């Protein structure tokens, strides 16, 4: 019994110490908690699962299964509360977010994320408390949800949005000018143009008039920008807009342009380039064409950074947009057709069809052989003779003394008794054989390769076979070293290998440089103790131009081999007819055919539009200057015709000319005035272009255009001043057609307004089609002092903008017709959309509604 106990203790100890044997230390209660926790884990109830796992761990703290389950649940529960806290904080619920982050820290005290979010939320709560003490009110949820970093980023974005582009001249009188001036100085010419167009003209104090300051100039049917450019060329002056209604004029020379010409910075994003090399090629082209010094590529964002004068940047952007085109793409069908046939035929019906072989063997009779012959030998030699062919084999063994070999022993006295019966041979048998085999095989490989224009595409289908390329001698020599240890190998692609570089032409042709290799392993050869593969290959390198869909044969190979074999007995095989019994015939025919063909298919062509091909004027050798066509709102209207959505203009007065002083007709001209005050002495009034405030409303737009006019409010209707005239609010154009990436302006006008003090509006548009680049106040409120209060908040991601436009508090309202705001849009996507101002209301100084409308304009982007 004692021995049995010792043996049992030894076995138990060995079992406990043996590696790989699990230690079962779980408790039944702990396993129950573990099962409950896993059930909660499957339901993503991490708090309950953590509680169950911790109960199991309290039953057996050393159990690894309990520890792992509790650690996983601790992390997941903490992350769950962090996610809930972030969601609550994004809604501005800082108190709820603080509780969730505290729970996350309690579930997983080692979570750095929980500690960071807890500290950040505490900082946000302190910030909101201070803000409430200062302003006396609670901030909206979207502001409370901003973290300190997000708040700073918001201020930076707002600051960036407030950055203004180079001022664009927007004269108060957009009509074309018809004016002739004789014998006037340069300053008089520019001042007169400013008075006619309602512009402020500021002169450089160092401006020097040209030596011959006496010019005659005729502005016939010209916009204000064109007239200023004509005058600048004639007087060798340089002008630039300082604001929408102010220009600055100085001498045109490199120093003045360097001092006063505005520079702009722009980031131009590319959409179709794929490699840094392409970006660098575009940068090099733009740098040379636009004469830019500061242009840099940023490959990680496919962008180009430009800083230069506005015209240079505009030219660079035009060139970049022309070059940034989607590349053409091609799918090429490659047909590799291989066919082989093997035919063999054997016909044999003959005696000894393969020739005659009659061996003669010595087989003496027993009666003449030596009976019981013995011989002593010191050396024995055993020889074996085998005869093949149509005869049977004979083996004989002879034993004798050294240097002598004998066959069958017969006495010398019996030599005379030898006869034909002592010799034997084997006669050939007859053979009848007729066999034929005909084997045919076809192999078709038809891969497809898709490639971008001028980009190499590679296709490899098959295996990679190792082959030895070199060897080296080990440092320590030895016997029995495996040669593989000292041999270097490389891998060869075996199968179908295609390298294709296509180029798509405008007429539908496709030029291709193609390398096609079709290879296979035909066997092996032993070289230096290493088996090397024998690779058979068919390779074509070709440059070809084909039309789309054309089947082009790259190469082909036809290999034919015929073999005929005749065997038989010489002489007898040549006997007519009878000779067929003594010969055999064998015929073999082998034929291999290989053809490689290409079929290109164009799936995308390069898009080149007329706008990419047209010439543009870019200035002269020293100065780049771009000219722009007048916008649709600036186009001259025929006499008596009504602008789009506006009142009918009265017939234009005949154009007047400034004549040479001393001519009687000049003294008879009446004093002239303009929107900016009286013109210089001797300058007649330009044709009247601004319609009177009491002009009748414009005719209704065509039936296809959406309604752009506001519903009229009859005098005396509720919400209008007693006896006040009705007002109309509408866009300057009912419909606009724009091209992709182009910019256009549309004005929101008011007609027949009376005592208007404020015009708050909310603008809505489709952010997938349009982008609102800028909103500027028009002339309706700016023509009366003091300047209006103007704020804007543009949200291009949601397609909305809020504009506050009003007279300063205590100021009287304004009346008449004019432009409230000018909207600048950019077309970013194709489609048709409507720009609307829903529930737009004009109000007087007392807050009463003057007019209510929902104007809209339809924009079609091609």
């Amino acid at each position: 019994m004692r021995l049995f106990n010792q043996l049992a203790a030894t076995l138990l100890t060995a079992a406990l110490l043996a590696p790989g044997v699990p230690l079962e230390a779980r408790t039944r209660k702990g396993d129950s908690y573990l099962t409950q926790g896993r059930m909660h884990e499957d339901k993503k109830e991490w708090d309950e699962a953590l509680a169950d796992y911790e109960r199991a761990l309290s039953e057996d703290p050393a159990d690894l299964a309990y520890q792992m389950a509790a650690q996983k649940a601790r992390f997941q529960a903490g992350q769950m509360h962090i996610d809930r806290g972030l969601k609550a904080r994004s809604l501005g619920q800082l108190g709820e977010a603080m509780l969730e982050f505290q729970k996350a820290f309690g579930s997983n005290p080692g979570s750095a994320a929980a500690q960071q979010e807890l500290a950040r939320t505490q900082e946000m709560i302190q910030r909101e408390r201070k803000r409430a003490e200062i302003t006396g009110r609670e901030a909206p949820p979207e502001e409370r949800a901003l973290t300190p970093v997000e708040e700073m980023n918001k201020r930076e974005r707002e600051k960036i949005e407030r950055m203004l582009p180079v001022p664009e001249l927007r004269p108060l009188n957009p009509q074309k000018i018809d004016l002739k001036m004789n014998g006037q100085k340069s300053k008089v010419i520019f001042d007169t143009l400013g008075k006619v167009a309602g512009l402020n003209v500021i002169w450089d104090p160092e401006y020097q008039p040209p030596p011959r300051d006496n010019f005659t100039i005729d502005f016939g049917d010209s916009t204000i920008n064109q007239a200023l450019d004509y005058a600048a060329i004639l007087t060798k002056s340089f002008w630039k807009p300082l604001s929408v209604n102010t220009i600055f004029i100085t001498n045109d020379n490199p120093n003045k342009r360097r001092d006063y010409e505005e520079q702009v910075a722009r980031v131009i994003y590319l959409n179709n380039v794929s490699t840094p090399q392409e970006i660098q090629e575009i940068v090099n082209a733009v740098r040379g064409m636009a004469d830019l010094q500061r242009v840099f590529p940023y490959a990680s964002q496919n962008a180009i950074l430009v800083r230069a004068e506005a015209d240079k940047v505009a030219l660079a952007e035009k060139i970049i947009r022309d070059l940034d085109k989607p590349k053409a793409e091609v799918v090429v069908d490659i047909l590799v057709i291989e066919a082989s046939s093997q035919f063999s035929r054997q016909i044999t019906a003959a005696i000894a069809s393969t020739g005659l072989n009659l061996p003669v063997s010595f087989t003496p009779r027993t009666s003449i052989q030596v009976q019981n012959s013995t011989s002593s030998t010191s050396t024995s030699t055993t020889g074996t003779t085998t005869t093949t062919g149509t005869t049977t084999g004979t083996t004989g063994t002879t034993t004798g003394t050294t240097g002598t070999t004998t066959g069958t022993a017969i006495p010398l006295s019996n030599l005379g008794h030898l006869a034909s019966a002592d010799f034997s041979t084997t006669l050939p048998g007859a053979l009848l054989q007729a066999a034929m085999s005909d084997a045919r095989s076809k192999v078709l490989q038809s891969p497809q390769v898709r490639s971008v224009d001028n980009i190499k595409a590679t296709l490899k289908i098959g295996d990679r076979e190792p082959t030895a390329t070199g060897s080296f001698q080990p440092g320590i020599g030895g016997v029995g070293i495996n040669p593989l240890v000292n041999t270097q190998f490389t891998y060869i692609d075996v199968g179908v290998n295609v390298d294709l570089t296509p180029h798509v032409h405008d007429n539908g042709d496709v030029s291709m440089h193609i390398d096609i290799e079709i290879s296979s392993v035909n066997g092996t050869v032993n070289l230096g103790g290493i088996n090397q593969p024998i690779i058979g290959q068919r390779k074509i390198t070709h440059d070809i131009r084909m039309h789309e869909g054309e089947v082009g044969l790259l190469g082909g190979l036809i290999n034919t081999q015929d073999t005929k074999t005749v065997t038989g007995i010489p002489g007898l095989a040549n006997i007519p007819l009878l000779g067929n019994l003594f010969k055999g015939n064998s015929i073999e025919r082998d034929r291999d055919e290989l053809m490689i063909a290409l079929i290109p298919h164009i799936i995308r062509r390069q898009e080149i539009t007329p706008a990419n091909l047209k010439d543009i004027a870019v200035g002269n050798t020293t100065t780049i200057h771009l000219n722009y066509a007048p916008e649709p709102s600036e186009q001259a209207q025929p006499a008596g015709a009504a602008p789009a959505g506006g009142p009918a203009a009265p017939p234009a007065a005949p154009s007047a000319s400034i004549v040479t002083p001393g001519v009687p007709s000049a003294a008879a001209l009446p004093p002239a005035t303009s929107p900016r005050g009286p013109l210089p002495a001797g300058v007649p009034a330009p044709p009247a272009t601004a319609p009177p405030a009491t002009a009748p409303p414009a005719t209704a737009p065509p039936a296809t255009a959406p309604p752009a006019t506001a519903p009229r409010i009859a005098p005396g209707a509720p919400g209008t001043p007693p006896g006040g005239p009705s007002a109309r609010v509408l866009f300057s154009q009912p419909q606009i057609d724009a091209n992709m990436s182009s910019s256009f302006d549309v004005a929101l006008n008011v007609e027949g307004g009376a005592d208007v003090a404020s015009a708050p509006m909310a603008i809505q548009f489709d952010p997938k089609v349009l982008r609102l680049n800028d909103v500027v106040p028009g002339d309706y409120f700016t023509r009366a002092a003091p300047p209006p209060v103007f704020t804007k908040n543009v949200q291009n991601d949601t397609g909305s903008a809020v504009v506050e436009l009003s007279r300063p508090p205590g100021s009287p309202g304004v009346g008449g017709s004019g432009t409230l705001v000018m909207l600048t849009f950019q077309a970013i996507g194709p489609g048709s959309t409507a720009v609307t101002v829903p529930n737009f209301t004009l109000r007087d100084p007392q807050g009463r509604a003057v007019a209510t409308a929902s104007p809209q304009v339809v924009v079609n982007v091609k």
Side-chain angles (χ1 to χ4, degrees):
M1 185 65 181
R2 182 178 179 183
L3 180 60
F4 176 80
N5 293 337
Q6 291 179 352
L7 181 59
T10 303
L11 293 176
L12 180 61
T13 303
L16 292 176
L17 297 179
V21 178
L23 300 178
E24 296 292 340
R26 297 181 180 176
T27 64
R28 180 175 298 178
K29 193 173 183 180
D31 289 345
S32 177
Y33 288 139
L34 180 64
T35 303
Q36 296 177 12
R38 287 175 176 172
M39 294 175 60
H40 288 297
E41 180 178 340
D42 293 339
K43 299 178 182 179
K44 306 300 180 183
E45 298 172 349
W46 295 109
D47 287 339
E48 292 79 0
L50 178 60
D52 289 331
Y53 292 151
E54 288 181 345
R55 294 190 188 99
L57 195 60
S58 64
E59 296 294 330
D60 187 0
D63 191 278
L64 292 179
Y66 299 163
Q67 293 177 8
M68 293 174 60
Q71 188 65 29
K72 176 183 177 182
R74 189 173 291 112
F75 172 79
Q76 294 290 352
Q79 192 62 37
M80 177 187 67
H81 287 294
I82 289 176
D83 294 339
R84 292 178 180 176
L86 293 175
K87 183 177 180 180
R89 195 173 67 186
S90 65
L91 300 176
Q93 302 170 358
L94 301 183
E96 291 80 354
M98 174 67 73
L99 293 177
E100 293 294 337
F101 293 140
Q102 289 175 350
K103 291 179 182 179
F105 183 75
S107 300
N108 187 12
S111 174
Q115 297 178 9
Q116 293 173 354
E117 298 300 335
L118 190 61
R120 186 176 291 114
T121 306
Q122 289 175 346
E123 183 179 353
M124 295 169 63
I125 291 175
Q126 294 295 332
R127 179 196 65 191
E128 294 304 317
R129 288 176 180 174
K130 293 180 181 179
R131 180 181 295 174
E133 293 175 357
I134 295 174
T135 61
R137 61 182 180 86
E138 187 178 3
E142 58 271 14
E143 293 186 10
R144 295 198 305 268
L146 296 177
T147 64
V149 176
E150 291 173 346
E151 188 178 24
M152 182 182 66
N153 291 338
K154 179 185 176 183
R155 290 197 298 266
E156 290 295 329
R157 288 194 301 268
E158 292 175 350
K159 183 178 180 181
I160 292 174
E161 289 178 357
R162 292 197 304 270
M163 293 180 181
L164 299 177
V166 173
E168 184 178 353
L169 197 61
R170 298 182 184 275
L172 296 180
N173 185 1
Q175 301 300 323
K176 290 190 175 181
I177 298 173
D178 192 3
L179 186 64
K180 182 177 180 181
M181 306 177 71
N182 295 332
Q184 298 298 321
K185 296 184 177 181
S186 56
K187 286 193 174 184
V188 174
I189 295 175
F190 282 107
D191 288 337
T192 302
L193 292 175
K195 294 294 183 180
V196 170
L199 300 176
N200 299 319
V201 180
I202 299 177
W203 291 89
D204 182 7
E206 299 178 356
Y207 179 80
Q208 296 294 331
R212 183 182 175 184
D213 195 13
N214 187 7
F215 303 98
T216 298
I217 190 169
D218 187 357
F219 302 105
D221 195 26
S222 304
T223 64
I224 181 60
N225 294 72
Q226 293 172 343
L228 291 173
D229 288 339
Y230 300 158
I233 294 175
L234 191 62
T235 62
K236 298 186 182 302
S237 302
F238 163 61
W239 70 274
K240 56 172 286 188
L242 298 180
S243 66
V244 296
N245 61 349
T246 304
I247 62 173
F248 173 82
I249 301 176
T250 185
N251 295 110
D252 190 5
N253 56 60
N255 293 332
K256 292 297 183 180
R257 283 189 173 271
R258 184 174 57 250
D259 294 340
Y260 293 108
E261 195 167 13
E262 292 286 346
Q263 290 198 345
V264 297
R266 184 172 301 173
V267 180
I268 304 173
Y269 292 94
L270 306 176
N271 299 319
N272 300 296
V273 299
S274 57
T275 62
Q277 179 184 358
E278 293 176 326
I279 300 179
Q280 188 60 50
E281 290 177 355
I282 293 178
V283 168
N284 294 337
V286 169
R287 181 181 287 117
M289 289 295 297
D291 193 18
L292 293 174
Q293 300 297 327
R294 296 178 179 88
V295 52
F296 306 98
Y298 189 63
S300 63
Q301 292 292 333
N302 279 359
I304 297 177
L305 288 71
V306 183
R307 177 191 165 194
E309 293 78 8
D311 285 341
K312 289 185 178 181
V313 173
L315 176 59
E317 185 174 13
K318 199 269 181 188
I319 296 174
I320 291 174
R321 297 307 177 198
D322 290 343
L323 297 178
D324 184 27
K325 293 285 186 180
K327 292 185 177 180
E329 292 189 49
V330 180
V331 170
V332 180
D333 293 328
I334 303 174
L335 302 179
V336 181
I337 304 173
E338 185 175 3
S340 62
S341 62
Q342 295 179 349
F343 175 81
S344 65
R345 186 186 66 183
Q346 294 181 356
I347 299 177
T348 303
I351 299 174
S353 59
T354 59
L356 187 62
N357 187 1
L358 296 177
V360 177
S361 302
F362 179 57
T363 56
R365 290 165 293 169
T366 306
S367 60
I368 64 174
Q369 297 181 7
V370 178
Q371 302 295 330
N372 298 327
S373 61
T374 60
S375 59
S376 60
T377 60
S378 59
T379 303
S380 62
T381 302
T382 301
T384 302
T385 303
T386 303
T387 303
T388 61
T390 59
T391 61
T392 59
T394 302
T395 302
T397 302
T398 303
T399 304
T401 59
T402 303
T404 63
T405 302
T406 62
T408 303
I410 59 173
L412 295 177
S413 59
N414 292 336
L415 291 177
H417 299 286
L418 294 177
S420 60
D422 297 324
F423 297 91
S424 62
T425 185
T426 302
L427 295 178
L431 175 65
L432 175 62
Q433 180 179 1
M436 184 183 71
S437 65
D438 189 357
R440 299 176 184 270
S441 62
K442 294 181 180 180
V443 179
L444 173 63
Q445 294 174 325
S446 180
Q448 274 190 340
V449 182
R450 177 168 178 169
S451 179
V452 181
D453 189 58
N454 286 327
I455 300 297
K456 181 180 178 181
T458 300
L459 175 67
K460 297 182 183 295
I461 302 175
D463 302 325
R464 305 195 71 195
E465 291 290 334
T467 178
T469 56
S471 61
F472 62 93
Q473 183 68 30
I476 300 176
V479 179
I481 298 178
N482 193 324
L484 295 179
V485 176
N486 307 323
T487 305
Q488 299 174 347
F489 287 86
T490 188
Y491 289 86
I492 300 176
D493 294 315
V494 177
V496 178
N497 304 317
V498 179
D499 290 333
L500 175 67
T501 305
H503 174 63
V504 180
H505 299 274
D506 186 60
N507 62 349
D509 287 355
V510 180
S511 295
M512 291 175 286
H513 175 80
I514 187 167
D515 292 331
I516 298 181
E517 179 181 347
I518 304 168
S519 57
S520 60
V521 177
N522 295 335
T524 59
V525 60
N526 190 284
L527 298 176
I530 301 176
N531 288 331
Q532 299 279 8
I534 300 174
I535 299 176
Q537 67 174 4
R538 302 176 180 90
K539 185 174 182 179
I540 293 179
T541 300
H542 199 46
D543 289 280
I544 188 172
R545 177 166 177 167
M546 303 169 57
H547 196 68
E548 179 185 8
E550 177 185 353
V551 180
L553 181 62
L554 279 189
L557 173 66
I558 298 177
N559 183 18
T560 303
Q561 180 178 355
D562 293 339
T563 304
K564 183 177 181 180
T565 305
V566 178
T567 59
I569 302 175
L572 296 179
N574 297 329
I575 300 175
L577 298 178
L578 188 62
N580 292 328
L581 298 177
F582 303 98
K583 67 180 179 181
N585 293 324
S586 175
I587 297 176
E588 293 183 1
R589 292 193 181 101
D590 296 336
R591 181 182 177 89
D592 294 330
E593 296 182 11
L594 175 67
M595 183 180 71
I596 301 175
L598 297 181
I599 306 175
H601 305 281
I602 300 175
I603 59 176
R604 178 185 289 123
R605 299 178 184 270
Q606 189 177 15
E607 298 179 1
I608 300 179
T609 63
N612 302 135
L613 300 175
K614 75 173 184 178
D615 298 336
I616 59 172
V618 296
N620 52 41
T621 305
T622 59
T623 304
I624 292 181
H625 178 70
L626 302 182
N627 300 312
Y628 296 90
E631 298 180 0
S633 59
E634 299 177 1
Q635 297 290 346
Q637 300 292 336
S655 60
S657 301
I658 299 178
V659 296
T660 306
V663 178
S665 59
L669 294 174
T673 59
S674 73
R676 287 290 177 181
L679 295 176
V683 178
T689 56
T694 59
T699 58
T704 56
T709 61
R712 291 199 170 194
I713 302 177
T720 61
S726 60
R728 302 173 66 220
V729 180
L730 68 165
F731 281 104
S732 58
Q733 297 169 265
Q735 182 173 339
I736 296 176
D737 295 329
N739 295 324
M740 281 287 295
S741 302
S742 64
S743 298
F744 60 90
D745 296 337
V746 59
L748 182 62
N749 299 328
V750 58
E751 298 176 0
D755 200 21
V756 179
S758 63
M761 65 189 74
I763 305 168
Q764 296 181 356
F765 55 93
D766 188 351
K768 297 180 181 179
V769 179
L770 299 177
R771 175 183 177 85
L772 183 55
N773 290 336
D774 197 8
V775 181
V776 296
D779 62 339
Y780 191 71
F781 284 147
T782 58
R783 59 192 178 194
V789 178
F790 175 73
T791 60
K792 63 179 178 180
N793 184 12
V794 180
Q795 300 291 335
N796 279 306
D797 53 345
T798 60
S800 62
V802 178
V803 178
E804 295 288 342
L805 181 63
S806 63
R807 299 276 293 157
S811 301
V814 297
S817 302
T819 300
L820 289 173
V821 291
M822 182 69 71
L823 309 177
T824 301
F825 286 96
Q826 182 178 5
I828 61 174
S832 178
T833 183
V835 179
T836 62
V837 185
N839 300 325
F840 177 62
T841 303
L842 297 177
R843 299 186 180 275
D844 61 8
Q846 288 75 33
R848 296 178 299 182
V850 177
T852 303
S854 297
Q856 71 173 8
V857 56
V858 176
V859 180
N860 299 317
V861 179
K862 301 177 181 178

